[in-house]
Amino acid sequence: MSKKIYIKTYGCQMNVYDSVRMADVMAPEGYTETDVIDDADLVVLNTCHIREKAAEKVYSELGRIRQLQDKRRAGGQEMLIAVGGCVGQAEGEEIMRRAPYVDIVMGSQAYHELPRLVRDAGGKGQALALDFPEVQKFDLLPEQTGAQGPTAFVAVQEGCDKFCTFCVVPYTRGAEYSRPVADVVREVTALVEEQGAIEISLLGQNVNAYHGVDAGGKVADLATLIEKLSLINGLERIRYTTSHPNDMTDRLIDAHGSIATLMPYLHLPIQAGSDRVLKAMNRKHTAAAYIDIVERLRKARPDIAFSGDFIVGFPGETEADFEETMRVETVSYASAYSFKYSPRPGTPAAEREQVAAAAKAERLERLQSLLHRQQVSFNARSVGQRMGVIFDRKGRHDGQMVGRSPYMQAVHVLDAAGLYGTLVEVEITAASGNSLTGSLLTQAAA
Ligand code: 5AD
Ligand code: SF4
């Protein structure tokens, strides 16, 4: 009888992608995925270290899973527990010490080793894999088998060399690495031709720093990669995330003007609007340089929508610094994520004098209410427009489907049953803070 693997995923799209690949490597070992944790012979927590108290949350989740493990073992069944992802990488052996019932701890580059780790741990003992191997995990993973649906993700780059002083990613994901162009083209072609994907999101912690080798041994940038992918028949949409302002090259900005399938939406974190704070964050760009990139992108693609990330209460941030962050409102974001700074052990900013909690909370509230107003007004401006929507899930009502606009808004449409996985013209009829409602312009296929 086949064994069951249960994977719980936290955090970013890269982790979602990695979890799909973990299921892929375990399939030849006889494991099928389950969403009932009690049935699992192997439980994997694919963790994220970005949010506050991330490690503590993992430990308390592990405490709960331990009870299920005890129950299964009492009934003569196995339940191996594996911790992967960025908390696995950052905590390492500490997890084995604090939670000795955990069988496997693996870093973010070690998923291809999961079958071996399971075999090692099955022989009773703990198994650990935390290295950043010479050979990259992508080269060792099998072809994608798990269907991702009409909108699929492909990791093209991993790691970060930028060392923003608040961020753990350079430590938990390692140095920047880009997959060769041919590998990416092959994977995307297979997703389109064999799995019905019509939208591809290219993933990387620093995706626009992509520099993969091409067939001639030369280095290709992200603009070149996107150009190549845009030639694939049947691929209707291309997106990429997450980008750093300093890697928004002229060529990539131009690509937004010249490649029709490259979507008019960009997640471009700024983090703060004060140059003093940006410097302390080691961002290596000014607020003005960021605004200039936004303006050049708008020139290339007038309807492009922006989303961003912000951190308030970074060590040393004064009221005056924060006011400058509020001035970034000139960008007019379609959506945005904002966070209170929280210290990450091992990062430079964690050692600095911290801003008072009350000031952080007050600034976050002010910023979020501004960003929310911008999102509401962006959505309101969509009403009356016609736009393409790819339906990728069912809505709550009978026959209702939900999809994404070019600008990443969720769009709800009635009488759209049967249109799953297709790109359809929709007229937007209403908007709320979080989503749009529309009606079909094209007749539903019989
Ligand atoms: N504190 C608060 N926010 C953080 N982020 C990353 N590290 C921290 C931290 N220590 C935010 C940044 C990043 C997003 C993914 O998470 O805004 O862009
Ligand atoms: Fe973290 Fe992004 Fe800065 Fe890299 S560029 S250190 S991933 S915030």
mmCIF file with all atom_site columns, all heavy atoms in Angstrom, residues 50-51 166-168 242 267 269 271 283 309-312 337 339-344 347, ligand 1:
data_model
loop_
_atom_site.group_PDB
_atom_site.id
_atom_site.type_symbol
_atom_site.label_atom_id
_atom_site.label_alt_id
_atom_site.label_comp_id
_atom_site.label_asym_id
_atom_site.label_entity_id
_atom_site.label_seq_id
_atom_site.pdbx_PDB_ins_code
_atom_site.Cartn_x
_atom_site.Cartn_y
_atom_site.Cartn_z
_atom_site.occupancy
_atom_site.B_iso_or_equiv
_atom_site.pdbx_formal_charge
_atom_site.auth_seq_id
_atom_site.auth_comp_id
_atom_site.auth_asym_id
_atom_site.auth_atom_id
_atom_site.pdbx_PDB_model_num
ATOM   1   N N   . ILE A 1 50  ? 10.268 34.739 7.936  1.00 0.00 ? 50  ILE A N   1
ATOM   2   C CA  . ILE A 1 50  ? 10.153 36.194 7.741  1.00 0.00 ? 50  ILE A CA  1
ATOM   3   C C   . ILE A 1 50  ? 9.346  36.847 8.867  1.00 0.00 ? 50  ILE A C   1
ATOM   4   O O   . ILE A 1 50  ? 9.706  37.889 9.375  1.00 0.00 ? 50  ILE A O   1
ATOM   5   C CB  . ILE A 1 50  ? 9.525  36.518 6.361  1.00 0.00 ? 50  ILE A CB  1
ATOM   6   C CG1 . ILE A 1 50  ? 10.562 36.252 5.252  1.00 0.00 ? 50  ILE A CG1 1
ATOM   7   C CG2 . ILE A 1 50  ? 9.029  37.942 6.283  1.00 0.00 ? 50  ILE A CG2 1
ATOM   8   C CD1 . ILE A 1 50  ? 11.590 37.351 5.060  1.00 0.00 ? 50  ILE A CD1 1
ATOM   9   N N   . ARG A 1 51  ? 8.233  36.232 9.240  1.00 0.00 ? 51  ARG A N   1
ATOM   10  C CA  . ARG A 1 51  ? 7.343  36.879 10.196 1.00 0.00 ? 51  ARG A CA  1
ATOM   11  C C   . ARG A 1 51  ? 7.851  36.745 11.626 1.00 0.00 ? 51  ARG A C   1
ATOM   12  O O   . ARG A 1 51  ? 8.671  35.884 11.936 1.00 0.00 ? 51  ARG A O   1
ATOM   13  C CB  . ARG A 1 51  ? 5.922  36.303 10.088 1.00 0.00 ? 51  ARG A CB  1
ATOM   14  C CG  . ARG A 1 51  ? 5.256  36.599 8.751  1.00 0.00 ? 51  ARG A CG  1
ATOM   15  C CD  . ARG A 1 51  ? 4.685  38.005 8.666  1.00 0.00 ? 51  ARG A CD  1
ATOM   16  N NE  . ARG A 1 51  ? 5.712  39.005 8.370  1.00 0.00 ? 51  ARG A NE  1
ATOM   17  C CZ  . ARG A 1 51  ? 6.159  39.302 7.161  1.00 0.00 ? 51  ARG A CZ  1
ATOM   18  N NH1 . ARG A 1 51  ? 5.678  38.688 6.118  1.00 0.00 ? 51  ARG A NH1 1
ATOM   19  N NH2 . ARG A 1 51  ? 7.088  40.221 7.003  1.00 0.00 ? 51  ARG A NH2 1
ATOM   20  N N   . PHE A 1 166 ? 17.855 44.029 7.742  1.00 0.00 ? 166 PHE A N   1
ATOM   21  C CA  . PHE A 1 166 ? 16.740 43.478 8.526  1.00 0.00 ? 166 PHE A CA  1
ATOM   22  C C   . PHE A 1 166 ? 16.428 42.033 8.155  1.00 0.00 ? 166 PHE A C   1
ATOM   23  O O   . PHE A 1 166 ? 15.609 41.391 8.804  1.00 0.00 ? 166 PHE A O   1
ATOM   24  C CB  . PHE A 1 166 ? 15.464 44.318 8.303  1.00 0.00 ? 166 PHE A CB  1
ATOM   25  C CG  . PHE A 1 166 ? 15.121 44.515 6.845  1.00 0.00 ? 166 PHE A CG  1
ATOM   26  C CD1 . PHE A 1 166 ? 14.469 43.537 6.129  1.00 0.00 ? 166 PHE A CD1 1
ATOM   27  C CD2 . PHE A 1 166 ? 15.499 45.676 6.192  1.00 0.00 ? 166 PHE A CD2 1
ATOM   28  C CE1 . PHE A 1 166 ? 14.175 43.701 4.786  1.00 0.00 ? 166 PHE A CE1 1
ATOM   29  C CE2 . PHE A 1 166 ? 15.210 45.860 4.842  1.00 0.00 ? 166 PHE A CE2 1
ATOM   30  C CZ  . PHE A 1 166 ? 14.547 44.861 4.145  1.00 0.00 ? 166 PHE A CZ  1
ATOM   31  N N   . CYS A 1 167 ? 17.052 41.509 7.110  1.00 0.00 ? 167 CYS A N   1
ATOM   32  C CA  . CYS A 1 167 ? 16.501 40.322 6.425  1.00 0.00 ? 167 CYS A CA  1
ATOM   33  C C   . CYS A 1 167 ? 17.316 39.052 6.620  1.00 0.00 ? 167 CYS A C   1
ATOM   34  O O   . CYS A 1 167 ? 18.547 39.072 6.563  1.00 0.00 ? 167 CYS A O   1
ATOM   35  C CB  . CYS A 1 167 ? 16.381 40.636 4.933  1.00 0.00 ? 167 CYS A CB  1
ATOM   36  S SG  . CYS A 1 167 ? 15.589 39.338 3.993  1.00 0.00 ? 167 CYS A SG  1
ATOM   37  N N   . VAL A 1 168 ? 16.607 37.934 6.836  1.00 0.00 ? 168 VAL A N   1
ATOM   38  C CA  . VAL A 1 168 ? 17.270 36.641 7.047  1.00 0.00 ? 168 VAL A CA  1
ATOM   39  C C   . VAL A 1 168 ? 17.529 35.880 5.746  1.00 0.00 ? 168 VAL A C   1
ATOM   40  O O   . VAL A 1 168 ? 18.275 34.899 5.750  1.00 0.00 ? 168 VAL A O   1
ATOM   41  C CB  . VAL A 1 168 ? 16.436 35.703 7.957  1.00 0.00 ? 168 VAL A CB  1
ATOM   42  C CG1 . VAL A 1 168 ? 16.445 36.170 9.386  1.00 0.00 ? 168 VAL A CG1 1
ATOM   43  C CG2 . VAL A 1 168 ? 15.017 35.556 7.442  1.00 0.00 ? 168 VAL A CG2 1
ATOM   44  N N   . THR A 1 242 ? 10.079 38.143 -6.625 1.00 0.00 ? 242 THR A N   1
ATOM   45  C CA  . THR A 1 242 ? 10.036 39.526 -6.196 1.00 0.00 ? 242 THR A CA  1
ATOM   46  C C   . THR A 1 242 ? 11.245 40.278 -6.725 1.00 0.00 ? 242 THR A C   1
ATOM   47  O O   . THR A 1 242 ? 12.325 39.693 -6.797 1.00 0.00 ? 242 THR A O   1
ATOM   48  C CB  . THR A 1 242 ? 10.021 39.581 -4.653 1.00 0.00 ? 242 THR A CB  1
ATOM   49  O OG1 . THR A 1 242 ? 8.783  39.085 -4.193 1.00 0.00 ? 242 THR A OG1 1
ATOM   50  C CG2 . THR A 1 242 ? 10.217 40.961 -4.112 1.00 0.00 ? 242 THR A CG2 1
ATOM   51  N N   . HIS A 1 267 ? 5.533  43.804 -8.375 1.00 0.00 ? 267 HIS A N   1
ATOM   52  C CA  . HIS A 1 267 ? 5.763  43.894 -6.934 1.00 0.00 ? 267 HIS A CA  1
ATOM   53  C C   . HIS A 1 267 ? 7.183  44.409 -6.735 1.00 0.00 ? 267 HIS A C   1
ATOM   54  O O   . HIS A 1 267 ? 8.149  43.716 -7.048 1.00 0.00 ? 267 HIS A O   1
ATOM   55  C CB  . HIS A 1 267 ? 5.585  42.522 -6.281 1.00 0.00 ? 267 HIS A CB  1
ATOM   56  C CG  . HIS A 1 267 ? 5.771  42.556 -4.795 1.00 0.00 ? 267 HIS A CG  1
ATOM   57  N ND1 . HIS A 1 267 ? 4.935  43.276 -3.978 1.00 0.00 ? 267 HIS A ND1 1
ATOM   58  C CD2 . HIS A 1 267 ? 6.698  41.993 -3.992 1.00 0.00 ? 267 HIS A CD2 1
ATOM   59  C CE1 . HIS A 1 267 ? 5.334  43.142 -2.717 1.00 0.00 ? 267 HIS A CE1 1
ATOM   60  N NE2 . HIS A 1 267 ? 6.408  42.375 -2.702 1.00 0.00 ? 267 HIS A NE2 1
ATOM   61  N N   . PRO A 1 269 ? 9.292  46.158 -3.818 1.00 0.00 ? 269 PRO A N   1
ATOM   62  C CA  . PRO A 1 269 ? 9.406  46.687 -2.454 1.00 0.00 ? 269 PRO A CA  1
ATOM   63  C C   . PRO A 1 269 ? 10.292 47.921 -2.388 1.00 0.00 ? 269 PRO A C   1
ATOM   64  O O   . PRO A 1 269 ? 11.330 47.969 -3.038 1.00 0.00 ? 269 PRO A O   1
ATOM   65  C CB  . PRO A 1 269 ? 10.051 45.526 -1.681 1.00 0.00 ? 269 PRO A CB  1
ATOM   66  C CG  . PRO A 1 269 ? 9.709  44.310 -2.461 1.00 0.00 ? 269 PRO A CG  1
ATOM   67  C CD  . PRO A 1 269 ? 9.715  44.748 -3.894 1.00 0.00 ? 269 PRO A CD  1
ATOM   68  N N   . GLN A 1 271 ? 10.405 49.492 1.020  1.00 0.00 ? 271 GLN A N   1
ATOM   69  C CA  . GLN A 1 271 ? 10.719 49.324 2.467  1.00 0.00 ? 271 GLN A CA  1
ATOM   70  C C   . GLN A 1 271 ? 10.592 50.615 3.268  1.00 0.00 ? 271 GLN A C   1
ATOM   71  O O   . GLN A 1 271 ? 10.052 50.598 4.366  1.00 0.00 ? 271 GLN A O   1
ATOM   72  C CB  . GLN A 1 271 ? 12.109 48.700 2.702  1.00 0.00 ? 271 GLN A CB  1
ATOM   73  C CG  . GLN A 1 271 ? 12.431 47.477 1.860  1.00 0.00 ? 271 GLN A CG  1
ATOM   74  C CD  . GLN A 1 271 ? 11.558 46.260 2.130  1.00 0.00 ? 271 GLN A CD  1
ATOM   75  O OE1 . GLN A 1 271 ? 10.642 46.295 2.929  1.00 0.00 ? 271 GLN A OE1 1
ATOM   76  N NE2 . GLN A 1 271 ? 11.820 45.182 1.407  1.00 0.00 ? 271 GLN A NE2 1
ATOM   77  N N   . ARG A 1 283 ? 19.904 49.298 1.602  1.00 0.00 ? 283 ARG A N   1
ATOM   78  C CA  . ARG A 1 283 ? 19.147 49.063 0.375  1.00 0.00 ? 283 ARG A CA  1
ATOM   79  C C   . ARG A 1 283 ? 19.904 49.524 -0.865 1.00 0.00 ? 283 ARG A C   1
ATOM   80  O O   . ARG A 1 283 ? 19.574 49.149 -1.994 1.00 0.00 ? 283 ARG A O   1
ATOM   81  C CB  . ARG A 1 283 ? 17.776 49.777 0.449  1.00 0.00 ? 283 ARG A CB  1
ATOM   82  C CG  . ARG A 1 283 ? 16.844 49.167 1.461  1.00 0.00 ? 283 ARG A CG  1
ATOM   83  C CD  . ARG A 1 283 ? 16.320 47.827 1.021  1.00 0.00 ? 283 ARG A CD  1
ATOM   84  N NE  . ARG A 1 283 ? 15.436 47.916 -0.135 1.00 0.00 ? 283 ARG A NE  1
ATOM   85  C CZ  . ARG A 1 283 ? 14.872 46.856 -0.725 1.00 0.00 ? 283 ARG A CZ  1
ATOM   86  N NH1 . ARG A 1 283 ? 15.117 45.648 -0.268 1.00 0.00 ? 283 ARG A NH1 1
ATOM   87  N NH2 . ARG A 1 283 ? 14.086 47.009 -1.753 1.00 0.00 ? 283 ARG A NH2 1
ATOM   88  N N   . ASP A 1 309 ? 6.395  46.535 -0.568 1.00 0.00 ? 309 ASP A N   1
ATOM   89  C CA  . ASP A 1 309 ? 6.560  46.143 0.835  1.00 0.00 ? 309 ASP A CA  1
ATOM   90  C C   . ASP A 1 309 ? 7.125  47.333 1.597  1.00 0.00 ? 309 ASP A C   1
ATOM   91  O O   . ASP A 1 309 ? 7.973  48.061 1.068  1.00 0.00 ? 309 ASP A O   1
ATOM   92  C CB  . ASP A 1 309 ? 7.584  45.005 0.979  1.00 0.00 ? 309 ASP A CB  1
ATOM   93  C CG  . ASP A 1 309 ? 7.078  43.675 0.480  1.00 0.00 ? 309 ASP A CG  1
ATOM   94  O OD1 . ASP A 1 309 ? 5.863  43.535 0.266  1.00 0.00 ? 309 ASP A OD1 1
ATOM   95  O OD2 . ASP A 1 309 ? 7.908  42.770 0.296  1.00 0.00 ? 309 ASP A OD2 1
ATOM   96  N N   . PHE A 1 310 ? 6.644  47.492 2.828  1.00 0.00 ? 310 PHE A N   1
ATOM   97  C CA  . PHE A 1 310 ? 7.125  48.571 3.695  1.00 0.00 ? 310 PHE A CA  1
ATOM   98  C C   . PHE A 1 310 ? 7.458  48.017 5.072  1.00 0.00 ? 310 PHE A C   1
ATOM   99  O O   . PHE A 1 310 ? 6.763  47.125 5.561  1.00 0.00 ? 310 PHE A O   1
ATOM   100 C CB  . PHE A 1 310 ? 6.032  49.624 3.909  1.00 0.00 ? 310 PHE A CB  1
ATOM   101 C CG  . PHE A 1 310 ? 5.678  50.396 2.666  1.00 0.00 ? 310 PHE A CG  1
ATOM   102 C CD1 . PHE A 1 310 ? 4.742  49.901 1.769  1.00 0.00 ? 310 PHE A CD1 1
ATOM   103 C CD2 . PHE A 1 310 ? 6.275  51.619 2.411  1.00 0.00 ? 310 PHE A CD2 1
ATOM   104 C CE1 . PHE A 1 310 ? 4.409  50.618 0.635  1.00 0.00 ? 310 PHE A CE1 1
ATOM   105 C CE2 . PHE A 1 310 ? 5.943  52.344 1.278  1.00 0.00 ? 310 PHE A CE2 1
ATOM   106 C CZ  . PHE A 1 310 ? 5.013  51.842 0.383  1.00 0.00 ? 310 PHE A CZ  1
ATOM   107 N N   . ILE A 1 311 ? 8.479  48.574 5.679  1.00 0.00 ? 311 ILE A N   1
ATOM   108 C CA  . ILE A 1 311 ? 8.774  48.276 7.084  1.00 0.00 ? 311 ILE A CA  1
ATOM   109 C C   . ILE A 1 311 ? 8.726  49.599 7.850  1.00 0.00 ? 311 ILE A C   1
ATOM   110 O O   . ILE A 1 311 ? 9.376  50.560 7.438  1.00 0.00 ? 311 ILE A O   1
ATOM   111 C CB  . ILE A 1 311 ? 10.174 47.647 7.241  1.00 0.00 ? 311 ILE A CB  1
ATOM   112 C CG1 . ILE A 1 311 ? 10.226 46.300 6.521  1.00 0.00 ? 311 ILE A CG1 1
ATOM   113 C CG2 . ILE A 1 311 ? 10.534 47.498 8.717  1.00 0.00 ? 311 ILE A CG2 1
ATOM   114 C CD1 . ILE A 1 311 ? 11.601 45.637 6.531  1.00 0.00 ? 311 ILE A CD1 1
ATOM   115 N N   . VAL A 1 312 ? 7.940  49.640 8.923  1.00 0.00 ? 312 VAL A N   1
ATOM   116 C CA  . VAL A 1 312 ? 7.933  50.844 9.767  1.00 0.00 ? 312 VAL A CA  1
ATOM   117 C C   . VAL A 1 312 ? 8.641  50.523 11.077 1.00 0.00 ? 312 VAL A C   1
ATOM   118 O O   . VAL A 1 312 ? 8.688  49.375 11.523 1.00 0.00 ? 312 VAL A O   1
ATOM   119 C CB  . VAL A 1 312 ? 6.500  51.358 10.076 1.00 0.00 ? 312 VAL A CB  1
ATOM   120 C CG1 . VAL A 1 312 ? 5.753  51.662 8.804  1.00 0.00 ? 312 VAL A CG1 1
ATOM   121 C CG2 . VAL A 1 312 ? 5.732  50.370 10.949 1.00 0.00 ? 312 VAL A CG2 1
ATOM   122 N N   . TYR A 1 337 ? 2.036  45.552 1.088  1.00 0.00 ? 337 TYR A N   1
ATOM   123 C CA  . TYR A 1 337 ? 2.213  44.840 2.350  1.00 0.00 ? 337 TYR A CA  1
ATOM   124 C C   . TYR A 1 337 ? 3.075  45.714 3.248  1.00 0.00 ? 337 TYR A C   1
ATOM   125 O O   . TYR A 1 337 ? 4.084  46.250 2.809  1.00 0.00 ? 337 TYR A O   1
ATOM   126 C CB  . TYR A 1 337 ? 2.922  43.502 2.117  1.00 0.00 ? 337 TYR A CB  1
ATOM   127 C CG  . TYR A 1 337 ? 2.215  42.651 1.097  1.00 0.00 ? 337 TYR A CG  1
ATOM   128 C CD1 . TYR A 1 337 ? 2.503  42.783 -0.253 1.00 0.00 ? 337 TYR A CD1 1
ATOM   129 C CD2 . TYR A 1 337 ? 1.236  41.748 1.500  1.00 0.00 ? 337 TYR A CD2 1
ATOM   130 C CE1 . TYR A 1 337 ? 1.829  42.017 -1.204 1.00 0.00 ? 337 TYR A CE1 1
ATOM   131 C CE2 . TYR A 1 337 ? 0.564  40.987 0.564  1.00 0.00 ? 337 TYR A CE2 1
ATOM   132 C CZ  . TYR A 1 337 ? 0.866  41.122 -0.790 1.00 0.00 ? 337 TYR A CZ  1
ATOM   133 O OH  . TYR A 1 337 ? 0.203  40.369 -1.710 1.00 0.00 ? 337 TYR A OH  1
ATOM   134 N N   . PHE A 1 339 ? 4.750  46.122 7.350  1.00 0.00 ? 339 PHE A N   1
ATOM   135 C CA  . PHE A 1 339 ? 5.085  45.373 8.561  1.00 0.00 ? 339 PHE A CA  1
ATOM   136 C C   . PHE A 1 339 ? 5.773  46.276 9.566  1.00 0.00 ? 339 PHE A C   1
ATOM   137 O O   . PHE A 1 339 ? 6.453  47.222 9.186  1.00 0.00 ? 339 PHE A O   1
ATOM   138 C CB  . PHE A 1 339 ? 6.068  44.240 8.226  1.00 0.00 ? 339 PHE A CB  1
ATOM   139 C CG  . PHE A 1 339 ? 5.702  43.457 7.006  1.00 0.00 ? 339 PHE A CG  1
ATOM   140 C CD1 . PHE A 1 339 ? 6.275  43.752 5.769  1.00 0.00 ? 339 PHE A CD1 1
ATOM   141 C CD2 . PHE A 1 339 ? 4.765  42.439 7.070  1.00 0.00 ? 339 PHE A CD2 1
ATOM   142 C CE1 . PHE A 1 339 ? 5.927  43.028 4.624  1.00 0.00 ? 339 PHE A CE1 1
ATOM   143 C CE2 . PHE A 1 339 ? 4.421  41.715 5.939  1.00 0.00 ? 339 PHE A CE2 1
ATOM   144 C CZ  . PHE A 1 339 ? 4.998  42.011 4.717  1.00 0.00 ? 339 PHE A CZ  1
ATOM   145 N N   . LYS A 1 340 ? 5.610  45.923 10.850 1.00 0.00 ? 340 LYS A N   1
ATOM   146 C CA  . LYS A 1 340 ? 6.441  46.552 11.874 1.00 0.00 ? 340 LYS A CA  1
ATOM   147 C C   . LYS A 1 340 ? 7.791  45.859 11.814 1.00 0.00 ? 340 LYS A C   1
ATOM   148 O O   . LYS A 1 340 ? 7.839  44.626 11.706 1.00 0.00 ? 340 LYS A O   1
ATOM   149 C CB  . LYS A 1 340 ? 5.848  46.301 13.264 1.00 0.00 ? 340 LYS A CB  1
ATOM   150 C CG  . LYS A 1 340 ? 4.632  47.105 13.562 1.00 0.00 ? 340 LYS A CG  1
ATOM   151 C CD  . LYS A 1 340 ? 4.229  46.878 15.019 1.00 0.00 ? 340 LYS A CD  1
ATOM   152 C CE  . LYS A 1 340 ? 2.942  46.111 15.068 1.00 0.00 ? 340 LYS A CE  1
ATOM   153 N NZ  . LYS A 1 340 ? 2.399  45.869 16.375 1.00 0.00 ? 340 LYS A NZ  1
ATOM   154 N N   . TYR A 1 341 ? 8.844  46.628 11.950 1.00 0.00 ? 341 TYR A N   1
ATOM   155 C CA  . TYR A 1 341 ? 10.157 45.994 12.007 1.00 0.00 ? 341 TYR A CA  1
ATOM   156 C C   . TYR A 1 341 ? 10.201 45.043 13.204 1.00 0.00 ? 341 TYR A C   1
ATOM   157 O O   . TYR A 1 341 ? 9.759  45.390 14.296 1.00 0.00 ? 341 TYR A O   1
ATOM   158 C CB  . TYR A 1 341 ? 11.284 47.037 12.149 1.00 0.00 ? 341 TYR A CB  1
ATOM   159 C CG  . TYR A 1 341 ? 12.590 46.350 12.422 1.00 0.00 ? 341 TYR A CG  1
ATOM   160 C CD1 . TYR A 1 341 ? 13.243 45.657 11.406 1.00 0.00 ? 341 TYR A CD1 1
ATOM   161 C CD2 . TYR A 1 341 ? 13.132 46.294 13.699 1.00 0.00 ? 341 TYR A CD2 1
ATOM   162 C CE1 . TYR A 1 341 ? 14.406 44.943 11.657 1.00 0.00 ? 341 TYR A CE1 1
ATOM   163 C CE2 . TYR A 1 341 ? 14.292 45.582 13.968 1.00 0.00 ? 341 TYR A CE2 1
ATOM   164 C CZ  . TYR A 1 341 ? 14.921 44.915 12.940 1.00 0.00 ? 341 TYR A CZ  1
ATOM   165 O OH  . TYR A 1 341 ? 16.059 44.191 13.205 1.00 0.00 ? 341 TYR A OH  1
ATOM   166 N N   . SER A 1 342 ? 10.717 43.849 12.981 1.00 0.00 ? 342 SER A N   1
ATOM   167 C CA  . SER A 1 342 ? 10.948 42.963 14.127 1.00 0.00 ? 342 SER A CA  1
ATOM   168 C C   . SER A 1 342 ? 12.322 42.315 13.971 1.00 0.00 ? 342 SER A C   1
ATOM   169 O O   . SER A 1 342 ? 12.687 41.862 12.883 1.00 0.00 ? 342 SER A O   1
ATOM   170 C CB  . SER A 1 342 ? 9.821  41.940 14.263 1.00 0.00 ? 342 SER A CB  1
ATOM   171 O OG  . SER A 1 342 ? 10.029 40.854 13.424 1.00 0.00 ? 342 SER A OG  1
ATOM   172 N N   . PRO A 1 343 ? 13.092 42.327 15.041 1.00 0.00 ? 343 PRO A N   1
ATOM   173 C CA  . PRO A 1 343 ? 14.487 41.899 14.951 1.00 0.00 ? 343 PRO A CA  1
ATOM   174 C C   . PRO A 1 343 ? 14.618 40.423 14.615 1.00 0.00 ? 343 PRO A C   1
ATOM   175 O O   . PRO A 1 343 ? 13.888 39.600 15.171 1.00 0.00 ? 343 PRO A O   1
ATOM   176 C CB  . PRO A 1 343 ? 15.042 42.159 16.362 1.00 0.00 ? 343 PRO A CB  1
ATOM   177 C CG  . PRO A 1 343 ? 13.998 42.915 17.093 1.00 0.00 ? 343 PRO A CG  1
ATOM   178 C CD  . PRO A 1 343 ? 12.702 42.728 16.407 1.00 0.00 ? 343 PRO A CD  1
ATOM   179 N N   . ARG A 1 344 ? 15.508 40.099 13.705 1.00 0.00 ? 344 ARG A N   1
ATOM   180 C CA  . ARG A 1 344 ? 15.828 38.713 13.381 1.00 0.00 ? 344 ARG A CA  1
ATOM   181 C C   . ARG A 1 344 ? 17.218 38.414 13.906 1.00 0.00 ? 344 ARG A C   1
ATOM   182 O O   . ARG A 1 344 ? 18.169 39.086 13.499 1.00 0.00 ? 344 ARG A O   1
ATOM   183 C CB  . ARG A 1 344 ? 15.852 38.497 11.859 1.00 0.00 ? 344 ARG A CB  1
ATOM   184 C CG  . ARG A 1 344 ? 14.540 38.611 11.197 1.00 0.00 ? 344 ARG A CG  1
ATOM   185 C CD  . ARG A 1 344 ? 13.655 37.412 11.493 1.00 0.00 ? 344 ARG A CD  1
ATOM   186 N NE  . ARG A 1 344 ? 12.309 37.700 11.057 1.00 0.00 ? 344 ARG A NE  1
ATOM   187 C CZ  . ARG A 1 344 ? 11.449 38.432 11.742 1.00 0.00 ? 344 ARG A CZ  1
ATOM   188 N NH1 . ARG A 1 344 ? 11.778 38.924 12.915 1.00 0.00 ? 344 ARG A NH1 1
ATOM   189 N NH2 . ARG A 1 344 ? 10.251 38.680 11.284 1.00 0.00 ? 344 ARG A NH2 1
ATOM   190 N N   . THR A 1 347 ? 20.943 39.142 12.256 1.00 0.00 ? 347 THR A N   1
ATOM   191 C CA  . THR A 1 347 ? 20.986 40.214 11.246 1.00 0.00 ? 347 THR A CA  1
ATOM   192 C C   . THR A 1 347 ? 21.485 41.502 11.922 1.00 0.00 ? 347 THR A C   1
ATOM   193 O O   . THR A 1 347 ? 21.230 41.713 13.101 1.00 0.00 ? 347 THR A O   1
ATOM   194 C CB  . THR A 1 347 ? 19.596 40.459 10.626 1.00 0.00 ? 347 THR A CB  1
ATOM   195 O OG1 . THR A 1 347 ? 18.682 40.799 11.686 1.00 0.00 ? 347 THR A OG1 1
ATOM   196 C CG2 . THR A 1 347 ? 19.082 39.229 9.904  1.00 0.00 ? 347 THR A CG2 1
HETATM 197 N N1  . 5AD B 2 .   ? 10.890 42.871 10.068 1.00 0.00 ? 1   5AD B N1  1
HETATM 198 C C1  . 5AD B 2 .   ? 9.792  43.289 9.411  1.00 0.00 ? 1   5AD B C1  1
HETATM 199 N N2  . 5AD B 2 .   ? 9.555  43.039 8.099  1.00 0.00 ? 1   5AD B N2  1
HETATM 200 C C2  . 5AD B 2 .   ? 10.480 42.306 7.442  1.00 0.00 ? 1   5AD B C2  1
HETATM 201 N N3  . 5AD B 2 .   ? 10.518 41.897 6.161  1.00 0.00 ? 1   5AD B N3  1
HETATM 202 C C3  . 5AD B 2 .   ? 11.631 41.167 5.999  1.00 0.00 ? 1   5AD B C3  1
HETATM 203 N N4  . 5AD B 2 .   ? 12.330 41.104 7.147  1.00 0.00 ? 1   5AD B N4  1
HETATM 204 C C4  . 5AD B 2 .   ? 11.629 41.805 8.068  1.00 0.00 ? 1   5AD B C4  1
HETATM 205 C C5  . 5AD B 2 .   ? 11.840 42.123 9.445  1.00 0.00 ? 1   5AD B C5  1
HETATM 206 N N5  . 5AD B 2 .   ? 12.914 41.715 10.094 1.00 0.00 ? 1   5AD B N5  1
HETATM 207 C C6  . 5AD B 2 .   ? 9.515  42.256 5.147  1.00 0.00 ? 1   5AD B C6  1
HETATM 208 C C7  . 5AD B 2 .   ? 10.135 43.096 4.021  1.00 0.00 ? 1   5AD B C7  1
HETATM 209 C C8  . 5AD B 2 .   ? 10.205 42.122 2.879  1.00 0.00 ? 1   5AD B C8  1
HETATM 210 C C9  . 5AD B 2 .   ? 8.991  41.261 3.152  1.00 0.00 ? 1   5AD B C9  1
HETATM 211 C C10 . 5AD B 2 .   ? 8.975  39.946 2.450  1.00 0.00 ? 1   5AD B C10 1
HETATM 212 O O1  . 5AD B 2 .   ? 9.004  41.074 4.544  1.00 0.00 ? 1   5AD B O1  1
HETATM 213 O O2  . 5AD B 2 .   ? 9.270  44.164 3.722  1.00 0.00 ? 1   5AD B O2  1
HETATM 214 O O3  . 5AD B 2 .   ? 10.170 42.759 1.610  1.00 0.00 ? 1   5AD B O3  1
#
